[in-house]
Amino acid sequence: MNWQDGYVTEIPYTQGFYHHLSPANLDLCLLTKQVKSPRLDQRFTYCELACGQGLTTNVLAAAYPQGEFYATDFNPTHVAQAQDLAQATGLTNVTFSDQSFQEYLETDLPPFDFISLHGIYSWISGENRRVIQAFLKQKLKVGGVVYVSYNTLPGWAVMAPIQKLMQFQRERSTGTVVERLKTTLEFVELLKTNQGIYLQHPWLQSRLEQLKSQDVSYLVHELFNQHWHPLYVDEVMTEMATAKLNYVGSAHLVDHVDAFNLTPTAINHLTTLSDPVLRELVRDFYLNTQFRRDVYVRGAVTLSGEAQVSRLQNMQFILTVLPNLVKLEHQTGAGQVQLQASLYQPVVEHLASGAVTVGELVVRLAPQGITLQQIGQTLIVLTGLGYAHPVVGNGAQRERFNRVIIERAETAGELQFLASPLIGNGVKVSHLELLLLLAEQRQQPAVEFVWQILSRRGLQLTHEGKVLDTPEANRKFLKEQAANFQHQGRPLLQQLGI
């Protein structure tokens, strides 16, 4: 067996940051389920398996100076990129390795409070999954938390034959992996002349059109790996049980609110199912779930209702976007969902002014008849949608880390997250905003400085779907964006400790 073991290594995976892996997010998930989680205000250990280019681990290491972070990815190109960023930013609490799962299992490592696996579990062989199960059993502390995401069924059932065909065709085509992807997509496109599969599964047409517009690196790693096995949730639960792990819930917080995702009929049906495994499986059928983000615990300790309320009331939350960007209408599995304006707007208004405890929100909103239970659910939804976040730190800045990310925006634009120790997570910042921060960092006039960088790299701005094709139009747009950022975006970043 070669070291790739059927996994694509010809081109690197995308530089992604995945906020669901944050200890703060996992902590809130456990709290909603009345399960005790490791403390974040003291030293803790965290491990990411298959970390890719390591952006998530690096950002989290910057956001949690009290944590000790370990990560491995068997692709040395990925690890070299991860180590380069860690060294450039002066992180001393993160260690990367290019070992396989088996080699990492045999390595002398500390016991971990958190172990995360994002986008790997359903893309590897059964043998490697068993090694991961052994790793979790040996390396996770009692009371420790596991995050595992994976492609799931029934959502991938219709696409599975297409992936099989693409994989089969890929093995028989020549050229680079990118050229083979192009050839394979063209090959699959020919199926449109045979209406059989499309008549039975009309969703496939839109899915294949979507594939053509997605990032090449993502598609290669998503669809070209030899071991591509979407898994039912009960199968993963059974495998996790071999490591003494109990399923807690979803790391995607809005999944915890059934009314946001399911029709009343589905909710009523699920309440009749006493078997929790069956209930979770049937829920996936109602939602036709394609991708799961599951949280497991080794030795779940149940919090009393009183302890849960006490923790929640003492938690602080803060808005992570501008108030005008909070949308009350969302398309979900339940259809078009309208969030209750009389409930969400007052909460958003209070969070917009800065961090506030849930207990204080209860006091402020009591005259409007808004209860603790309503506030708690509102905060879960706002956090799950990316509008708000718990406060877990004191806001002490990791200036060097963010400064290096900003500096790198001059020559590349793929790193678009800064670390916020205040919320213990990464904050999305656009390439243009990073360049405006770079102008501030170098004390340069923003518009001309940014335009010189863009023109030197042959980049043009777009506005309302149109490319701005003259220097005058670009400068005018930059001036507007710089003013908006200075009055709105920059104060928000400062409020988040950036």
Side-chain angles (χ1 to χ4, degrees):
M1 181 185 297
N2 61 27
W3 68 272
Q4 295 98 334
D5 194 20
Y7 202 85
V8 173
T9 57
E10 290 96 321
I11 61 173
Y13 191 54
T14 55
Q15 283 266 27
F17 175 81
Y18 306 102
H19 72 274
H20 295 97
L21 282 64
S22 160
N25 183 74
L26 299 176
D27 175 68
L28 185 55
C29 167
L30 266 62
L31 181 61
T32 63
K33 296 296 185 179
Q34 287 186 239
V35 176
K36 185 178 180 180
S37 60
R39 292 183 58 172
L40 303 181
D41 58 352
Q42 59 189 27
R43 178 187 174 275
F44 65 84
T45 50
Y46 185 109
C47 175
E48 183 179 4
L49 298 177
C51 65
Q53 297 191 53
L55 182 60
T56 298
T57 301
N58 272 321
V59 170
L60 293 179
Y64 294 91
Q66 74 275 30
E68 291 184 21
F69 290 81
Y70 294 78
T72 191
D73 193 285
F74 78 149
N75 188 333
T77 301
H78 286 167
V79 174
Q81 293 279 11
Q83 289 178 333
D84 176 70
L85 182 59
Q87 291 165 5
T89 56
L91 292 176
T92 58
N93 62 332
V94 61
T95 302
F96 289 99
S97 164
D98 70 341
Q99 293 177 306
S100 68
F101 298 134
Q102 182 64 50
E103 291 168 336
Y104 213 45
L105 172 63
E106 297 166 1
T107 298
D108 184 19
L109 296 167
F112 294 111
D113 295 290
F114 299 92
I115 298 177
S116 62
L117 306 92
H118 180 75
I120 188 66
Y121 201 69
S122 57
W123 290 265
I124 55 177
S125 65
E127 179 183 350
N128 270 317
R129 292 206 309 274
R130 286 187 288 275
V131 174
I132 286 176
Q133 294 155 29
F135 186 92
L136 298 177
K137 187 174 183 179
Q138 290 186 28
K139 306 295 186 182
L140 186 69
K141 292 180 182 179
V142 172
V145 181
V146 170
Y147 165 97
V148 55
S149 65
Y150 53 96
N151 280 345
T152 193
L153 295 164
W156 272 100
V158 174
M159 189 64 188
I162 299 297
Q163 189 278 336
K164 169 64 178 178
L165 186 61
M166 292 179 70
Q167 176 69 14
F168 197 83
Q169 171 67 8
R170 174 238 177 172
E171 293 171 353
R172 284 154 180 77
S173 58
T174 59
T176 67
V177 69
V178 175
E179 290 168 343
R180 280 180 283 164
L181 175 66
K182 183 174 182 294
T183 300
T184 301
L185 287 174
E186 290 171 350
F187 181 78
V188 173
E189 184 85 6
L190 295 175
L191 286 177
K192 288 186 177 179
T193 61
N194 174 5
Q195 291 297 310
I197 191 169
Y198 289 104
L199 284 174
Q200 294 185 50
H201 305 291
W203 170 84
L204 265 180
Q205 288 211 33
S206 61
R207 182 69 179 101
L208 290 176
E209 287 299 316
Q210 182 186 13
L211 289 180
K212 291 190 289 186
S213 65
Q214 288 182 301
D215 182 271
V216 170
S217 293
Y218 164 77
L219 288 178
V220 166
H221 285 264
E222 171 63 57
L223 296 170
F224 269 12
N225 288 311
Q226 179 181 337
H227 303 290
W228 188 87
H229 307 290
L231 300 162
Y232 287 104
V233 61
D234 65 299
E235 295 174 325
V236 177
M237 288 180 175
T238 298
E239 293 185 359
M240 292 295 111
T242 66
K244 300 183 178 181
L245 297 176
N246 302 113
Y247 175 73
V248 176
S250 172
H252 189 43
L253 287 163
V254 292
D255 288 345
H256 294 240
V257 182
D258 281 345
F260 190 82
N261 300 282
L262 298 163
T263 64
T265 300
I267 294 172
N268 290 336
H269 181 201
L270 291 173
T271 58
T272 67
L273 303 178
S274 58
D275 184 332
V277 179
L278 177 61
R279 186 166 60 246
E280 201 65 28
L281 182 61
V282 172
R283 191 177 192 275
D284 281 346
F285 273 77
Y286 273 117
L287 295 172
N288 196 32
T289 306
Q290 284 188 292
F291 189 73
R292 289 186 62 97
R293 304 174 182 89
D294 291 349
V295 181
Y296 287 82
V297 171
R298 185 175 186 178
V301 176
T302 302
L303 294 172
S304 67
E306 183 179 348
Q308 181 194 38
V309 168
S310 176
R311 267 215 65 198
L312 180 61
Q313 286 187 317
N314 288 319
M315 288 182 72
Q316 287 184 306
F317 283 79
I318 193 169
L319 211 61
T320 55
V321 299
L322 297 171
N324 62 303
L325 296 180
V326 177
K327 299 177 182 179
L328 296 182
E329 284 189 10
H330 290 269
Q331 186 67 35
T332 75
Q336 191 75 17
V337 173
Q338 178 74 39
L339 301 179
Q340 188 178 340
S342 60
L343 177 58
Y344 280 81
Q345 286 179 345
V347 173
V348 169
E349 288 171 5
H350 286 285
L351 295 182
S353 60
V356 59
T357 66
V358 175
E360 181 60 29
L361 282 175
V362 171
V363 173
R364 294 180 189 179
L365 299 177
Q368 299 178 46
I370 299 176
T371 66
L372 170 63
Q373 183 178 5
Q374 290 174 313
I375 292 171
Q377 186 172 100
T378 299
L379 291 170
I380 291 295
V381 172
L382 289 174
T383 303
L385 292 174
Y387 297 144
H389 200 282
V391 172
V392 297
N394 57 16
Q397 295 186 18
R398 293 299 289 262
E399 292 184 4
R400 182 173 173 182
F401 182 88
N402 288 336
R403 187 169 65 247
V404 169
I405 297 292
I406 293 167
E407 288 284 346
R408 291 190 174 191
E410 182 174 11
T411 56
E414 68 271 13
L415 301 180
Q416 296 189 9
F417 286 88
L418 298 177
S420 169
L422 184 73
I423 64 172
N425 219 326
V427 176
K428 178 83 166 111
V429 184
S430 72
H431 184 220
L432 178 56
E433 290 171 332
L434 287 171
L435 291 177
L436 292 171
L437 289 170
L438 181 59
E440 175 189 313
Q441 204 161 272
R442 295 187 183 175
Q443 299 181 332
Q444 296 292 320
V447 174
E448 193 59 32
F449 177 81
V450 173
W451 171 239
Q452 289 300 322
I453 292 175
L454 295 177
S455 58
R456 185 168 65 244
R457 294 176 55 194
L459 301 176
Q460 292 178 303
L461 297 168
T462 60
H463 180 51
E464 296 179 346
K466 297 180 180 179
V467 175
L468 304 179
D469 53 5
T470 67
E472 294 75 21
N474 277 274
R475 284 189 173 94
K476 180 183 178 182
F477 182 67
L478 277 174
K479 185 176 180 180
E480 295 170 354
Q481 294 301 302
N484 289 337
F485 181 67
Q486 195 62 34
H487 290 103
Q488 296 182 314
R490 189 69 185 96
L492 177 63
L493 291 177
Q494 290 172 332
Q495 193 164 277
L496 294 172
I498 297 174

